[in-house]
């Protein structure tokens, strides 16, 4: 019986023929490279935190940076290896190409090398649910979006029992190396697993791969996480279309919330590409310690000013993580988190959601109680929904765009003479999130993810553990990309989680002194009053190189020598 292949569109069928470009260093395969060990990489943590970090990661702290160079001698890895890959966290375009790159790197080296994929994220490791990956079944997934080949999940491996189960399952399956594809939390987990296995004297490698559409897994060693490029191209197309619609009909204000659980990178990139009227950047709001009512006041201000000149329309972009950047709202979320974790058993005994809500609200200090009560009732409930396994509030379920819209509306009604804005302020709200996570990867992401997977095979075949697969020089064509590994522990710092200090891979927020943000600031006043909209159109896979190989403005500006050329 022949294996049923998956349903694919005409575009995907064509896209299957795309051959990702490998960096030149891998021209002759994984066998013809040599890993050059650099100096020990300085950790991003503070000096005091470094000694604590050293205590926790006794076996994997202080490793050198690895850079791969072409080598004349051929290293043959004779003993076949068995490698497992797992997706962890939210989907991001290009995940399947990480598998493809890893698979090809392993197989080109030794036909007997085996790759398995744990199903459904880290819980697949614990349940020992996996599939063996063959060239045949992989072929329909090359250059496709989504994580559906092996799926993903958010289970966090943290208890001693879970670590022991993971170890036993890796041993039972004779897995030599584990590749964890994830964001900051998942790579924190990868670092813990690498340390744990080393401590147990097991010769097993753990390699992380930087994934997240949010673009917040970045630092001086990681230029960007995969998926950000494609997701922002998709959102920019949608926002650009809305801008054009707004400019055509001239009757609505569109409030658009964009994904990005913490950092506002997605919103910043989309705004640079589409030039809407109002853009909120969470990091700036935090730096200016703005209250929710100040944010509302600022938006209202622009709406009124535009209204004076007859422009009762516009587009406003809101980052998903905004709420946590408004100090008083953050305080509220932290207080709710604390109540939820301290009173977990009491809350579990309550049957209705209403009962739980009242229980939590009544435990809040009066200032925070009044704040939450000032929000629309349906939004209040969203603050109490379950936290994710990493203790984060699930911001994708908080309708910030509706919250702001309602508050702005109220403000306008107060301002206008008897119902002046009643007919003038017509609004529409949108949330663009899940729409961007599984798109067919852009050329950049297809190449980048393939290279990340291939590079991971080079790291683990050379016996490295506790490293993040790292590809740099991304503003250059893929052939010139630099490949190697960065110790995971160097990317960690201390953060408060569930009320406790935890070592986690540091999240990168929008840098307010960085070039992308400065470029935005330079232009936003003009964008607010004019219709400077740009409609970038759909992402292109075929056509002029300039268009199909376009990288994000964020990456381009961050690595430009002058000011944002
Ligand atoms: P990762 O950081 O795991 O890549 O996920 C990011 C993200 O897409 C956020 O932008 C969003 O808030 C969240 O996932 C939604 O999570 P879920 O898929 O669990 O609803």
């Amino acid at each position: 019986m022949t294996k049923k292949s998956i349903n694919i569109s005409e575009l995907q069928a064509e896209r299957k023929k795309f051959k990702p470009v490998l960096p030149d260093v891998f021209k002759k395969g994984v066998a013809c490279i040599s890993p050059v060990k650099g100096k020990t990489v300085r950790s991003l943590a503070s000096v005091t935190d470094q000694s604590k970090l050293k205590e926790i990661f006794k076996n994997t702290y202080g490793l050198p940076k690895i850079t791969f160079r072409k080598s004349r001698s051929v290293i043959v890895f004779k003993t076949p290896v068995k490698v497992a890959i797992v997706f962890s966290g939210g989907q991001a375009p290009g995940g399947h190409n990480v598998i493809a790159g890893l698979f090809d790197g392993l197989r080109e080296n030794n036909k007997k090398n085996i790759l398995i994929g744990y199903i459904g994220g880290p819980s697949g490791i614990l349940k020992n649910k996996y599939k063996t990956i063959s060239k045949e079944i992989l072929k329909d997934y090359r250059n496709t979006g989504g994580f559906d080949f092996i799926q993903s999940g958010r289970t966090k491996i943290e208890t001693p029992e879970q670590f022991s189960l993971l170890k036993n399952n890796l041993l039972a399956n004779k897995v030599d190396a584990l590749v964890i594809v994830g964001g900051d939390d998942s790579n924190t987990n990868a670092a813990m697993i690498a340390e744990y296995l080393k401590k147990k004297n097991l010769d097993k490698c753990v390699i992380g791969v930087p994934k997240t559409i949010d673009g917040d897994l970045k630092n001086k060693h990681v230029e960007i996480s995969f998926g950000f490029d494609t997701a922002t191209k998709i959102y920019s197309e949608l926002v650009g279309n809305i801008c054009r619609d707004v400019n055509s009909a001239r009757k609505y204000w569109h409030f658009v919330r964009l994904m990005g659980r913490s950092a506002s990178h997605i919103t910043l990139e989309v705004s640079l590409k589409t030039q809407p009227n109002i853009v909120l950047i969470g990091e700036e709001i935090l730096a200016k310690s703005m209250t929710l009512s100040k944010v509302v006041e600022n938006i209202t201000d622009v709406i009124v000013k535009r209204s004076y000149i007859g422009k009762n329309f516009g587009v406003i972009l809101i980052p998903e993580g905004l709420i946590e950047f408004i100090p008083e709202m953050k305080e509220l979320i932290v207080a709710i988190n604390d109540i939820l974790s301290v009173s977990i058993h009491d809350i579990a005994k309550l049957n209705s959601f209403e009962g739980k809500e009242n229980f939590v609200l009544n435990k809040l200090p009066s200032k925070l109680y009044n704040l939450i009560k000032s929000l629309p009732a349906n939004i209040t409930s969203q603050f109490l929904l379950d936290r994710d396994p990493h203790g984060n509030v699930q911001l994708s379920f908080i309708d910030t765009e509706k919250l702001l819209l309602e508050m702005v509306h109220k403000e306008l009604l107060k301002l206008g003479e008897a119902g002046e804005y009643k007919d003038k302020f017509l609004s529409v709200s949108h949330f663009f999130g899940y729409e961007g996570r599984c798109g067919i990867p852009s050329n950049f992401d297809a190449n980048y993810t393939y290279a990340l997977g291939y590079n991971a095979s080079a790291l683990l075949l050379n016996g490295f553990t506790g490293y993040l697969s790292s590809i740099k020089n991304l503003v250059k064509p893929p052939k010139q990309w630099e490949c190697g590994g960065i110790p995971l522990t160097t990317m960690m710092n201390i953060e408060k989680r569930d009320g406790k200090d935890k070592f986690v891979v540091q999240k990168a927020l929008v840098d307010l002194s960085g070039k992308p943000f400065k470029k935005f600031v330079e232009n936003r006043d003009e964008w607010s009053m004019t219709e400077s909209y740009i409609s970038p159109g759909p992402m292109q896979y075929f056509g002029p190189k300039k268009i199909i190989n376009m990288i994000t403005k964020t990456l381009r500006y961050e690595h430009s020598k002058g000011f944002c050329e």
Side-chain angles (χ1 to χ4, degrees):
M1 204 171 71
T2 49
K3 202 154 183 77
K4 194 181 171 301
S5 54
I6 56 164
N7 298 328
I8 54 172
S9 67
E10 283 91 344
L11 173 61
Q12 272 188 12
E14 205 50 47
R15 193 67 187 153
K16 252 166 70 173
K17 298 176 196 159
F18 178 79
K19 294 257 170 295
V21 186
L22 264 183
D24 258 350
V25 68
F26 291 129
K27 204 170 170 186
K28 294 193 173 151
V30 176
C32 296
I33 52 161
S34 66
V36 179
K37 291 188 186 174
K39 286 192 197 132
T40 305
V41 196
R42 243 191 86 76
S43 161
L44 301 175
S46 70
V47 180
T48 30
D49 290 353
Q50 280 186 46
S51 49
K52 290 189 203 157
L53 199 58
K54 214 165 163 179
E55 265 304 294
I56 298 174
F57 295 93
K58 287 201 174 70
N59 302 283
T60 50
Y61 179 85
L63 299 171
K65 173 183 168 186
I66 304 297
T67 309
F68 290 123
R69 298 263 179 263
K70 281 187 205 159
S71 156
R72 289 220 182 98
S73 49
V74 179
I75 308 160
V76 185
F77 302 93
K78 280 199 183 119
T79 332
V81 290
K82 189 170 184 182
V83 178
I85 185 163
V86 66
F87 289 147
S88 179
Q91 286 69 255
H96 290 150
N97 267 21
V98 177
I99 301 184
L102 177 62
F103 181 86
D104 293 350
L106 291 170
R107 281 298 170 89
E108 279 168 21
N109 203 261
N110 188 333
K111 293 267 168 294
K112 292 194 179 131
N113 284 343
I114 295 173
L115 179 63
I116 64 167
Y118 279 112
I119 312 287
S123 68
I125 312 178
L126 304 178
K127 293 181 194 150
N128 207 19
K129 265 180 77 183
Y130 64 87
K131 66 161 78 145
T132 303
I133 295 169
S134 68
K135 201 173 169 184
E136 188 51 25
I137 54 169
L138 182 59
K139 79 175 191 320
D140 284 339
Y141 290 93
R142 287 178 186 263
N143 309 312
T144 58
F147 280 5
D148 45 317
F149 187 26
I150 55 172
Q151 299 125 46
S152 186
R154 290 200 184 274
T155 301
K156 186 179 177 192
I157 296 177
E158 55 183 345
T159 65
E161 295 73 27
Q162 286 175 318
F163 274 101
S164 160
L165 192 55
L166 169 136
K167 179 196 73 184
N168 293 341
N169 287 343
L170 294 184
L171 285 171
N173 293 329
K174 298 193 169 52
V175 167
D176 301 294
L178 176 64
V179 176
I180 299 180
V181 181
D184 51 334
D185 285 333
S186 311
N187 276 293
T188 301
N189 229 204
M192 310 285 263
I193 295 169
E195 175 66 23
Y196 172 82
L197 295 172
K198 263 269 182 214
K199 203 159 109 194
K200 295 279 168 199
N201 277 320
L202 292 170
D203 198 12
K204 304 208 176 299
C205 306
V206 180
I207 303 295
V209 175
K211 167 237 67 165
T212 175
I213 60 158
D214 294 3
D216 56 4
L217 175 46
K218 93 175 148 176
N219 49 54
K220 60 179 176 195
H221 311 298
V222 182
E223 293 178 2
I224 193 63
S225 53
F226 81 76
F228 179 74
D229 187 87
T230 310
T232 50
K233 281 177 177 148
I234 295 171
Y235 299 138
S236 300
E237 182 202 349
L238 298 174
V239 172
N241 291 349
I242 287 178
C243 290
R244 224 171 190 138
D245 193 89
V246 144
N247 206 14
S248 308
R250 301 190 160 223
K251 60 177 177 183
Y252 298 128
W253 268 95
H254 286 257
F255 282 54
V256 185
R257 174 167 53 115
L258 293 168
M259 229 178 208
R261 193 181 51 205
S262 302
S264 312
H265 299 293
I266 291 181
T267 300
L268 182 56
E269 171 67 21
V270 175
S271 73
L272 291 169
K273 280 207 179 101
T274 61
Q275 309 191 166
N277 305 103
I278 306 176
V279 180
L280 305 179
I281 297 296
E283 290 78 346
E284 184 184 25
I285 284 167
L286 174 68
K288 293 185 172 164
S289 295
M290 282 191 196
T291 57
L292 183 58
S293 45
K294 181 70 190 162
V295 173
V296 170
E297 189 189 308
N298 287 355
I299 300 172
T300 313
D301 222 37
V302 177
I303 293 177
V304 169
K305 277 195 192 135
R306 280 183 68 88
S307 185
Y308 280 152
I309 50 169
K311 296 179 177 180
N312 290 302
F313 61 91
V315 177
I316 162 163
L317 297 190
I318 303 151
E320 184 183 59
L322 176 78
I323 281 297
E324 286 200 307
F325 282 112
I326 300 174
E328 57 183 1
M329 300 305 283
K330 174 81 184 170
E331 203 187 325
L332 175 66
I333 290 171
V334 170
I336 295 176
N337 283 354
D338 285 349
I339 299 169
L340 290 175
S341 71
V342 170
S343 307
I344 187 163
H345 301 297
D346 295 327
I347 296 172
K349 284 182 208 144
L350 301 166
N351 292 327
S352 68
F353 185 81
E354 216 180 6
K356 290 179 191 193
E357 183 171 318
N358 287 336
F359 179 95
V360 176
L361 296 197
N362 288 328
K363 282 199 174 299
L364 285 171
S366 60
K367 181 183 96 176
L368 297 179
Y369 179 87
N370 293 337
L371 176 63
I372 199 163
K373 279 292 182 190
S374 71
L375 308 178
N378 54 333
I379 305 279
T380 305
S381 317
Q382 294 170 355
F383 277 84
L384 299 163
L385 295 173
D386 287 344
R387 273 42 189 162
D388 78 4
H390 297 268
N392 304 307
V393 62
Q394 304 208 48
L395 291 172
S396 54
F397 296 135
I398 300 185
D399 299 330
T400 321
E401 72 288 9
K402 294 200 174 106
L403 166 74
L404 290 176
L405 196 153
E406 281 192 40
M407 294 181 81
V408 166
H409 200 186
K410 261 195 196 163
E411 200 59 27
L412 284 169
L413 290 180
K414 268 196 261 162
L415 280 180
E417 291 159 20
E420 189 189 340
Y421 288 99
K422 208 161 161 245
D423 303 323
K424 285 186 186 164
F425 181 67
L426 300 174
S427 55
V428 187
S429 65
H430 314 259
F431 170 42
F432 297 146
Y434 298 95
E435 293 84 346
R437 297 202 310 185
C438 287
I440 300 178
S442 61
N443 278 3
F444 174 84
D445 270 329
N447 287 325
Y448 183 36
T449 45
Y450 188 80
L452 283 168
Y454 201 93
N455 184 60
S457 79
L459 286 167
L460 62 90
L461 285 170
N462 280 284
F464 295 110
T465 187
Y467 278 85
L468 185 83
S469 175
S470 141
I471 310 281
K472 290 181 74 172
N473 215 14
L474 296 171
V475 286
K476 292 274 161 50
K479 278 182 191 259
Q480 295 173 37
W481 289 353
E482 288 164 15
C483 305
I486 296 296
L488 287 164
T489 51
T490 62
M491 303 192 299
M492 294 181 130
N493 74 337
I494 290 188
E495 265 179 36
K496 265 237 172 339
R497 294 281 170 95
D498 290 336
K500 290 180 204 121
D501 282 345
K502 292 250 167 87
F503 272 103
V504 289
V505 168
Q506 195 169 15
K507 227 185 244 309
L509 301 180
V510 167
D511 176 6
L512 300 183
S513 56
K515 289 179 190 167
F517 182 74
K518 281 192 175 159
K519 180 82 177 175
F520 156 70
V521 171
E522 200 185 69
N523 290 289
R524 66 173 156 194
D525 287 344
E526 191 190 327
W527 298 350
S528 74
M529 296 312 290
T530 59
E531 293 69 54
S532 311
Y533 310 134
I534 293 178
S535 181
M539 184 173 21
Q540 301 293 314
Y541 302 98
F542 311 98
K545 282 206 168 66
K546 192 176 147 197
I547 304 294
I548 59 175
N549 294 331
M550 195 188 289
I551 57 170
T552 58
K553 287 189 186 282
T554 306
L555 195 59
R556 206 172 86 211
Y557 294 162
E558 277 173 350
H559 295 272
S560 65
K561 290 209 175 71
F563 184 66
C564 305
E565 65 270 17

